[in-house]
Amino acid sequence: MKAKLYTANRMFTGIIEEMAEIVSLSENKLTLSRPDSFSDVAIGSSIAVAGVCLSAIDRTRDSMTFDVVGETLRKTTLGSLQPGARVNLERALPANGRFDGHIVQGHAEGVGEVTGVKQDGEWTLLTVTLPKDVLPYVVSKGSLAIDGVSLTIAEKGVQSCTVALIPHTMAHTTLGVLREGDAVNIETDILGRYIHSMASGNHEA
């Protein structure tokens, strides 16, 4: 199969398209089941897997395989997931694609811990304790990606934030099965990080 050549960074929106099951994870290679709607995935395709941008290195009718470097396994939840676990999937946004959600790079900045799951009518309030180094970029009513899902921050605490999940998100992403103590990948809003960097004078942040 001929590989695609990519020359630009890929971007996602945090609008999850499908979920897939982990088939295997060994020798820095991750194999997932391939949803029928992902029939256009080719070698070199960029896909956000649980919020982590990975490039496909092989595909079959039923599966997709990705290279995963050791640092990614150590610094995200991917290294701790077991076969049978489900992950969120989103293909990279095409140049002429409709932009929903917010800009998501697929560069998880750290791992958060679920510390609260509370029902509030039809909504579910999810509270996550955040890594200390991402807290400066988290603001109330701002955007945050949790396991690749674009969400609006309902409330920011001292070391945590709370987001409100609608029934569709609960039913069609892995956030619907989260429980207290679960680990999740966190990516803050790149625009917020740029603004914070310029305001602080730290242009290398």
Side-chain angles (χ1 to χ4, degrees), residues 19 86 166-176:
M19 290 185 285
R86 304 186 84 186
I166 62 175
H168 180 86
T169 301
M170 294 291 288
H172 295 281
T173 75
T174 60
L175 303 190

Side-chain angles (χ1 to χ4, degrees), residues 62-133:
D62 301 316
S63 68
M64 308 177 290
T65 298
F66 307 85
D67 273 331
V68 189
V69 299
E71 182 179 13
T72 298
L73 294 175
R74 291 190 300 271
K75 293 187 175 182
T76 73
T77 63
L78 295 185
S80 62
L81 296 178
Q82 301 297 317
R86 304 186 84 186
V87 290
N88 297 320
L89 299 180
E90 181 190 355
R91 287 167 291 190
L93 180 70
N96 62 345
R98 181 181 178 86
F99 188 85
D100 293 312
H102 73 281
I103 296 174
V104 176
Q105 295 180 294
H107 301 160
E109 297 158 73
V111 174
E113 180 182 346
V114 176
T115 53
V117 182
K118 180 181 178 181
Q119 202 67 28
D120 184 14
E122 293 185 355
W123 298 63
T124 300
L125 300 179
L126 179 71
T127 300
V128 178
T129 297
L130 301 170
K132 184 177 180 180
D133 55 351

Side-chain angles (χ1 to χ4, degrees), residues 34-42 59 91:
R34 183 179 67 80
D36 291 341
S37 62
F38 275 50
S39 60
D40 61 341
V41 170
R59 55 152 286 182
R91 287 167 291 190

Side-chain angles (χ1 to χ4, degrees), residues 20-53:
E21 286 191 0
I22 293 180
V23 176
S24 65
L25 175 60
S26 61
E27 297 181 355
N28 294 342
K29 286 183 171 49
L30 172 66
T31 299
L32 305 176
S33 61
R34 183 179 67 80
D36 291 341
S37 62
F38 275 50
S39 60
D40 61 341
V41 170
I43 294 175
S45 292
S46 295
I47 298 176
V49 178
V52 180
C53 181

Side-chain angles (χ1 to χ4, degrees), residues 152-168:
T152 299
I153 299 165
E155 182 179 352
K156 179 185 177 182
V158 176
Q159 293 182 315
S160 66
C161 73
T162 298
V163 295
L165 307 178
I166 62 175
H168 180 86

